[in-house]
PDB file of all heavy atoms in Angstrom:
ATOM      1  N   TYR B  29      22.275  -6.329 -25.476  1.00 98.00           N
ATOM      2  CA  TYR B  29      22.103  -6.439 -24.032  1.00 98.00           C
ATOM      3  C   TYR B  29      21.136  -7.566 -23.678  1.00 98.00           C
ATOM      4  O   TYR B  29      20.347  -8.011 -24.507  1.00 98.00           O
ATOM      5  CB  TYR B  29      21.608  -5.111 -23.458  1.00 98.00           C
ATOM      6  CG  TYR B  29      20.252  -4.698 -23.985  1.00 98.00           C
ATOM      7  CD1 TYR B  29      19.085  -5.065 -23.336  1.00 98.00           C
ATOM      8  CD2 TYR B  29      20.158  -3.959 -25.159  1.00 98.00           C
ATOM      9  CE1 TYR B  29      17.852  -4.712 -23.837  1.00 98.00           C
ATOM     10  CE2 TYR B  29      18.921  -3.596 -25.669  1.00 98.00           C
ATOM     11  CZ  TYR B  29      17.773  -3.979 -25.014  1.00 98.00           C
ATOM     12  OH  TYR B  29      16.554  -3.637 -25.511  1.00 98.00           O
ATOM     13  N   GLU B  60      11.624   3.791 -28.204  1.00 82.00           N
ATOM     14  CA  GLU B  60      12.414   3.169 -29.257  1.00 82.00           C
ATOM     15  C   GLU B  60      12.716   4.112 -30.399  1.00 82.00           C
ATOM     16  O   GLU B  60      13.208   3.700 -31.435  1.00 82.00           O
ATOM     17  CB  GLU B  60      11.690   1.925 -29.787  1.00 82.00           C
ATOM     18  CG  GLU B  60      11.705   0.768 -28.815  1.00 82.00           C
ATOM     19  CD  GLU B  60      11.285  -0.539 -29.460  1.00 82.00           C
ATOM     20  OE1 GLU B  60      12.043  -1.042 -30.304  1.00 82.00           O
ATOM     21  OE2 GLU B  60      10.201  -1.045 -29.105  1.00 82.00           O
ATOM     22  N   GLN B  73      16.709  -1.031 -30.835  1.00 94.00           N
ATOM     23  CA  GLN B  73      15.746  -2.018 -31.317  1.00 94.00           C
ATOM     24  C   GLN B  73      15.506  -3.038 -30.221  1.00 94.00           C
ATOM     25  O   GLN B  73      16.339  -3.916 -29.981  1.00 94.00           O
ATOM     26  CB  GLN B  73      16.260  -2.691 -32.582  1.00 94.00           C
ATOM     27  CG  GLN B  73      16.324  -1.756 -33.773  1.00 94.00           C
ATOM     28  CD  GLN B  73      16.365  -2.499 -35.097  1.00 94.00           C
ATOM     29  OE1 GLN B  73      16.888  -3.602 -35.159  1.00 94.00           O
ATOM     30  NE2 GLN B  73      15.811  -1.896 -36.133  1.00 94.00           N
ATOM     31  N   LYS B  74      14.328  -2.940 -29.599  1.00 93.00           N
ATOM     32  CA  LYS B  74      13.992  -3.863 -28.524  1.00 93.00           C
ATOM     33  C   LYS B  74      13.875  -5.294 -29.036  1.00 93.00           C
ATOM     34  O   LYS B  74      14.206  -6.246 -28.336  1.00 93.00           O
ATOM     35  CB  LYS B  74      12.662  -3.445 -27.904  1.00 93.00           C
ATOM     36  CG  LYS B  74      12.698  -3.192 -26.430  1.00 93.00           C
ATOM     37  CD  LYS B  74      11.422  -2.561 -26.020  1.00 93.00           C
ATOM     38  CE  LYS B  74      11.125  -2.958 -24.601  1.00 93.00           C
ATOM     39  NZ  LYS B  74       9.961  -2.257 -24.074  1.00 93.00           N
ATOM     40  N   SER B  75      13.426  -5.453 -30.266  1.00 93.00           N
ATOM     41  CA  SER B  75      13.188  -6.797 -30.801  1.00 93.00           C
ATOM     42  C   SER B  75      14.478  -7.604 -30.891  1.00 93.00           C
ATOM     43  O   SER B  75      14.467  -8.826 -30.794  1.00 93.00           O
ATOM     44  CB  SER B  75      12.529  -6.704 -32.178  1.00 93.00           C
ATOM     45  OG  SER B  75      13.360  -5.978 -33.071  1.00 93.00           O
ATOM     46  N   THR B  76      15.583  -6.906 -31.091  1.00 95.00           N
ATOM     47  CA  THR B  76      16.875  -7.593 -31.181  1.00 95.00           C
ATOM     48  C   THR B  76      17.769  -7.273 -29.984  1.00 95.00           C
ATOM     49  O   THR B  76      18.940  -7.652 -29.961  1.00 95.00           O
ATOM     50  CB  THR B  76      17.608  -7.198 -32.470  1.00 95.00           C
ATOM     51  OG1 THR B  76      17.747  -5.765 -32.499  1.00 95.00           O
ATOM     52  CG2 THR B  76      16.857  -7.663 -33.701  1.00 95.00           C
ATOM     53  N   SER B  77      17.216  -6.580 -28.988  1.00 96.00           N
ATOM     54  CA  SER B  77      17.985  -6.205 -27.785  1.00 96.00           C
ATOM     55  C   SER B  77      19.291  -5.524 -28.168  1.00 96.00           C
ATOM     56  O   SER B  77      20.376  -5.901 -27.695  1.00 96.00           O
ATOM     57  CB  SER B  77      18.263  -7.431 -26.902  1.00 96.00           C
ATOM     58  OG  SER B  77      17.074  -7.978 -26.441  1.00 96.00           O
ATOM     59  N   SER B  78      19.177  -4.544 -29.041  1.00 96.00           N
ATOM     60  CA  SER B  78      20.394  -3.862 -29.476  1.00 96.00           C
ATOM     61  C   SER B  78      20.239  -2.350 -29.351  1.00 96.00           C
ATOM     62  O   SER B  78      19.139  -1.802 -29.446  1.00 96.00           O
ATOM     63  CB  SER B  78      20.716  -4.235 -30.924  1.00 96.00           C
ATOM     64  OG  SER B  78      19.706  -3.777 -31.802  1.00 96.00           O
TER      65      SER B  78
END
Side-chain angles (χ1 to χ4, degrees):
Chain B
Y29 63 91
E60 288 193 68
Q73 292 200 329
K74 236 170 150 174
S75 59
T76 56
S77 297
S78 64

